[in-house]
């Protein structure tokens, strides 16, 4: 497996990386020993980037155990910001929480530094200067090598860069975002912004949260466990697209999973695609497609099915900014709503 440069950090990472959500025993693989075998298989295959989060249950602990004796050859990424407890201060991007969260992650991961420390999602209650100042101190202390953001609108990417430059703070080096054949909205703004500002990108959900595995078909039972919780896994419009992609993959001589993964790494703005394998069999199947390069003809056919820059409905897990979720931010007061 060859390597790509992670933004302008100089760090070299594999185009396929390993996402660690499925190694949390409560939501993924219930056997930590089996998860460790999956991680080792990925490393042996040439994957050198592992991404986890402090909000993924015991995932950091499992990853830390797996990396004993192999830490120096792995680019280790984790995230903070999402709630990890009931206390209102056990979340967010304040200096107070960042300094607590990083020490807890270092302890769970069994390491003295994190290669890529990412804001899981922006906190509207915290000034971005406060966040960047704390993260800058972590880099200067040697506890963090590079910093990144996740699920960030393009306007905020530009704003954060402006703040960093104006205040002489470390700027974000990466962005983590959802991207797949079914969700191409990032091609409108986030991916171009990342390219313009030299950000490395890690994309999650390349298999459409399971829809691009071939296990979701029209008129057949849906055996995905997550289908009970997420509406997009049973959405008829997405199923329509899957039914068109399956014969296209067949014409290309590829499993649908390999077509889907190869599509994401073909974009010049994508650095690495996160594989969310839960078992060895799943990982082995995905690794068989690392050498797949899609032709222009196949990419053109995909564009005809899902036009560039469009989402076939929004993912349930997609970040929705407060400007959309909070009525008061998109509605004037009743007395000020008329034009007269």
């Amino acid at each position: 497996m060859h390597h790509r440069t992670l933004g302008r950090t100089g760090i070299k990472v594999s185009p396929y990386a390993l996402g660690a959500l499925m190694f949390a025993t409560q939501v993924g693989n219930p056997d930590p020993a089996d998860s460790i075998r999956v991680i080792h298989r990925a490393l042996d295959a040439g994957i050198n980037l592992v991404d986890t989060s402090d909000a993924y249950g015991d995932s950091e602990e499992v990853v830390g155990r797996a990396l004993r004796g192999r830490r120096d050859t792995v680019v280790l990424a984790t995230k903070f910001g999402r709630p990890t407890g009931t206390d209102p201060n056990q979340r967010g991007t304040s200096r107070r929480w960042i300094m607590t969260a990083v020490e807890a992650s270092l302890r769970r991961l069994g390491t003295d530094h994190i290669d890529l420390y990412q804001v899981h999602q922006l906190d509207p209650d915290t000034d971005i200067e406060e966040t960047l100042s704390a993260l800058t101190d972590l880099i200067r202390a040697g506890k963090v090598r590079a910093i990144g953001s996740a699920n960030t609108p393009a306007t905020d990417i530009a704003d954060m860069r402006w703040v960093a430059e104006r205040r002489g703070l470390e700027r974000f080096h990466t962005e983590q975002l959802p991207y797949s054949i079914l969700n191409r909205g990032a091609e409108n703004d986030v991916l171009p912004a990342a390219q313009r500002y030299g950000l490395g990108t890690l994309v999650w959900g390349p298999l459409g949260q399971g829809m691009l595995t071939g296990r979701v078909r029209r008129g057949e039972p849906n055996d995905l466990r997550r289908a009970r919780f997420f509406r997009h896994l049973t959405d008829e419009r997405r199923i329509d697209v899957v039914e068109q992609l399956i014969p296209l993959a067949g014409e290309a001589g590829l499993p649908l999973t390999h077509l889907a993964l190869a599509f994401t790494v073909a974009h010049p703005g994508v650095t690495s695609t996160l594989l969310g394998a839960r078992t060895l069999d799943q990982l082995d199947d995905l690794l068989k497609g690392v050498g797949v390069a899609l032709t222009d003809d196949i990419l053109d056919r995909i564009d005809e099915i899902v036009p560039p820059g469009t989402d076939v409905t929004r993912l349930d897990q997609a970040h929705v900014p407060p400007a959309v979720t909070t009525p008061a931010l998109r509605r004037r007061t009743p007395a000020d709503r008329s034009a007269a």
Side-chain angles (χ1 to χ4, degrees):
M1 200 176 298
H2 65 266
H3 295 90
R4 298 173 174 178
T5 305
L6 187 63
R8 293 175 180 163
T9 65
I11 300 171
K12 308 300 181 183
V13 296
S14 49
Y16 286 168
L18 190 63
L21 172 62
M22 288 294 101
F23 304 137
T25 55
Q26 290 187 337
V27 298
N29 193 325
D31 182 359
D34 191 46
S35 292
I36 290 171
R37 287 190 287 269
V38 175
I39 296 170
H40 288 171
R41 180 73 60 86
L43 300 182
D44 292 341
I47 287 175
N48 77 333
L49 170 61
V50 179
D51 174 78
T52 184
S53 170
D54 63 2
Y56 293 169
D58 60 351
S59 174
E60 285 186 324
E61 296 172 1
V62 174
V63 169
R65 288 173 54 191
L67 297 187
R68 290 174 187 167
R70 308 185 69 158
R71 173 68 183 90
D72 291 343
T73 61
V74 174
V75 178
L76 179 58
T78 192
K79 300 181 285 293
F80 72 94
R82 289 189 175 175
T84 60
T86 56
D87 189 304
N89 286 312
Q90 291 180 314
R91 66 192 71 187
T93 61
S94 67
R95 172 178 286 271
R96 182 181 189 274
W97 177 239
I98 288 172
M99 295 306 179
T100 299
V102 72
E103 294 297 341
S105 286
L106 288 169
R107 183 175 62 253
R108 287 188 292 264
L109 290 165
T111 185
D112 62 357
H113 72 279
I114 295 165
D115 295 304
L116 177 60
Y117 199 40
Q118 304 156 97
V119 177
H120 214 149
Q121 63 187 37
L122 293 178
D123 177 9
D125 294 329
T126 305
D127 193 297
I128 190 60
E129 185 176 340
E130 168 91 357
T131 301
L132 287 173
S133 175
L135 293 173
T136 296
D137 287 346
L138 292 182
I139 289 178
R140 292 172 179 170
K143 295 182 179 182
V144 170
R145 299 293 189 256
I147 57 175
S149 54
N151 308 306
T152 312
T155 51
D156 286 326
I157 289 175
D159 184 51
M160 292 186 299
R161 185 177 181 87
W162 181 87
V163 170
E165 291 180 352
R166 183 147 180 120
R167 300 301 184 189
L169 301 171
E170 288 286 341
R171 65 181 185 270
F172 286 120
H173 303 99
T174 64
E175 169 63 18
Q176 188 169 148
L177 64 146
Y179 182 59
S180 73
I181 295 176
L182 297 175
N183 289 92
R184 303 182 62 176
E187 294 172 346
N188 285 312
D189 43 28
V190 176
L191 285 172
Q195 290 173 275
R196 176 178 299 176
Y197 296 124
L199 299 179
T201 58
L202 311 179
V203 301
W204 57 268
L207 298 181
Q209 304 298 289
M211 291 204 75
L212 297 176
T213 61
R215 293 169 60 187
V216 179
R217 302 295 303 272
R218 171 163 287 105
E220 297 182 9
N222 187 331
D223 65 347
L224 293 176
R225 294 187 299 172
R226 286 174 289 180
R228 293 173 293 174
F229 309 105
F230 299 127
R231 292 170 297 176
H232 65 257
L233 293 174
T234 56
D235 188 277
E236 288 295 324
R237 288 167 292 178
R238 296 170 78 86
I239 294 174
D240 282 342
V241 171
V242 171
E243 292 295 333
Q244 296 176 68
L245 291 172
I246 288 174
L248 176 59
E251 291 178 31
L254 298 171
L256 182 58
T257 51
H258 295 178
L259 177 82
L261 291 176
F263 168 82
T264 61
V265 296
H267 194 290
V270 172
T271 307
S272 290
T273 290
L274 296 168
L275 307 184
R278 182 172 55 87
T279 66
L280 278 172
D281 287 343
Q282 290 176 355
L283 178 64
D284 286 342
D285 173 70
L286 298 178
L287 289 175
K288 291 175 183 176
V290 297
V292 173
L294 300 183
T295 64
D296 285 342
D297 177 63
I298 294 297
L299 290 171
D300 289 341
R301 298 275 298 279
I302 292 174
D303 286 349
E304 292 173 2
I305 297 171
V306 182
T310 62
D311 288 331
V312 186
T313 73
R314 189 173 61 196
L315 287 170
D316 290 339
Q317 306 101 309
H319 173 65
V320 182
V324 174
T325 60
T326 306
L329 297 179
R330 52 185 169 80
R331 297 176 184 172
R332 291 179 180 270
T333 62
D336 192 32
R337 288 179 189 171
S338 70

